[in-house]
Amino acid sequence: MGEIIVRKVGVFYKDDPSLINIAKKVKEYLKKRNVEVIDKIELKSKYFGEEIIILSLGGDGTFLSASRTALENNVPILGVNLGNLGFLTDVEGMDVFFAIDKLLNGESFIEERSILLAESNNFLQKYFYAVNDFVIQREINDKILQIEICVDGIKAGTFRCDGVIIATSTGSTAYALSVNGPIIHPHASVFEFALIAPHKLSYRPLILSKENTLTLKIISSGNFHFLSDGVEVTKLKKLDRITFKLSDKKLKVLHIKGINFFKILNKKFNWGK
């Protein structure tokens, strides 16, 4: 893509005293550089089209929350890690001011990430989107979750487990990684089906392509949590069906030049040691 002209920046952060203080300094710095600043309250309540760049200050959870606004406006998002692992974010801590200078000097690029679409006819809200993953979990007092899956209309298996993760390539380094799922390069147009505590020794995570559609049917009784990027969006019950596939929508992730996926892997997972 061509040079990114920065005129408006939406600053997204959580209501934590330390983050509020950093956000204040960031907004003041941007204004000194003649950049119009949109605060998070206005950012959530108004549609901006493609006029702005979103700056997420926090950890991966904050980035995922800010991503919903980025998707709605079809605008790029840059993550600054002020949390723990911060795998989705390029910039560490107070390097944010250095990153802003790079951004304003045109030393950045946009990477498009695949997101997931979940579709069901069983709920008032028919469509759900996820940047990292969808998760289905049983209550601690519920019986085991039993599911049947079909790929492109063909029955692919029946499983008993504590939960299910359907993850994007971006989300492969999140919850899916903790259940022994593979690390997937974020440019790969694939998604992953993984189980939490499966009752089947032969089970392995399944990778599906952008041409595939995964349909999941609940075949056990209970009230199961259905989460999108860690936020519960509805409950599932017996005989509910949900279809998953890669969406035509893309998340525009802004990177500072010199940052790449393997550099982040080396830093977060010590692959370089």
Side-chain angles (χ1 to χ4, degrees):
M1 302 182 70
E3 184 178 342
I4 302 164
I5 307 299
V6 182
R7 294 191 177 91
K8 292 183 183 179
V9 172
V11 182
F12 196 100
Y13 53 95
K14 290 185 177 180
D15 291 324
D16 177 272
S18 61
L19 293 177
I20 291 171
N21 184 50
I22 293 172
K24 181 181 178 182
K25 293 178 180 177
V26 167
K27 287 183 282 187
E28 290 172 351
Y29 192 77
L30 286 166
K31 288 174 183 177
K32 287 179 181 178
R33 299 295 302 272
N34 297 317
V35 175
E36 183 179 345
V37 174
I38 311 298
D39 199 13
K40 66 170 186 173
I41 296 175
E42 188 179 1
L43 196 60
K44 290 181 178 179
S45 62
K46 184 178 176 182
Y47 177 74
F48 289 90
E50 299 183 6
E51 301 175 2
I52 64 171
I53 285 170
I54 293 178
L55 186 63
S56 170
L57 305 176
D60 285 347
T62 304
F63 183 90
L64 290 171
S65 296
S67 293
R68 287 188 273 276
T69 301
L71 283 168
E72 288 169 5
N73 288 274
N74 191 31
V75 299
I77 177 171
L78 173 65
V80 177
N81 181 33
L82 298 168
N84 294 316
L85 183 62
F87 201 93
L88 295 174
T89 55
D90 271 12
V91 182
E92 293 292 331
M94 298 309 290
D95 286 345
V96 60
F97 302 104
F98 174 74
I100 289 171
D101 288 339
K102 291 267 192 180
L103 186 63
L104 298 181
N105 291 334
E107 298 179 59
S108 63
F109 65 96
I110 292 175
E111 175 187 66
E112 292 191 336
R113 297 281 185 96
S114 296
I115 65 170
L116 274 168
L117 167 67
E119 181 178 356
S120 175
N121 295 322
N122 298 342
F123 314 122
L124 293 176
Q125 182 179 342
K126 187 177 179 181
Y127 300 104
F128 304 91
Y129 294 93
V131 173
N132 255 2
D133 50 38
F134 289 107
V135 175
I136 301 171
Q137 290 180 329
R138 72 181 181 97
E139 290 272 10
I140 193 167
N141 295 322
D142 272 343
K143 293 181 180 179
I144 201 76
L145 170 64
Q146 297 183 63
I147 59 166
E148 176 185 287
I149 65 166
C150 295
V151 177
D152 302 333
I154 301 169
K155 184 176 178 180
T158 302
F159 302 95
R160 300 171 75 244
C161 56
D162 282 352
V164 180
I165 302 168
I166 300 94
T168 62
S169 51
T170 298
S172 70
T173 52
Y175 197 177
L177 188 66
S178 72
V179 295
N180 293 320
I183 293 176
I184 304 172
H185 194 285
H187 291 173
S189 296
V190 298
F191 63 105
E192 174 185 353
F193 167 80
L195 299 180
I196 304 168
H199 285 226
K200 190 167 286 188
L201 290 175
S202 60
Y203 155 77
R204 292 294 182 272
L206 178 66
I207 305 298
L208 299 167
S209 78
K210 63 181 179 181
E211 285 79 24
N212 293 132
T213 298
L214 172 71
T215 301
L216 184 150
K217 178 183 176 182
I218 307 290
I219 57 177
S220 56
S221 298
N223 287 300
F224 304 104
H225 303 282
F226 183 54
L227 298 90
S228 168
D229 288 333
V231 178
E232 184 170 313
V233 291
T234 191
K235 288 282 202 307
L236 299 176
K237 61 185 185 304
K238 188 175 182 178
L239 302 183
D240 279 346
R241 278 188 175 90
I242 305 181
T243 298
F244 302 92
K245 62 182 179 180
L246 290 183
S247 171
D248 291 333
K249 289 185 177 183
K250 302 282 187 180
L251 176 67
K252 297 178 179 178
V253 180
L254 194 59
H255 296 287
I256 302 302
K257 288 182 180 178
I259 301 294
N260 61 69
F261 178 65
F262 293 103
K263 188 171 184 178
I264 294 172
L265 278 181
N266 284 330
K267 187 170 187 177
K268 303 298 182 179
F269 294 161
N270 292 323
W271 273 23
K273 293 184 179 180

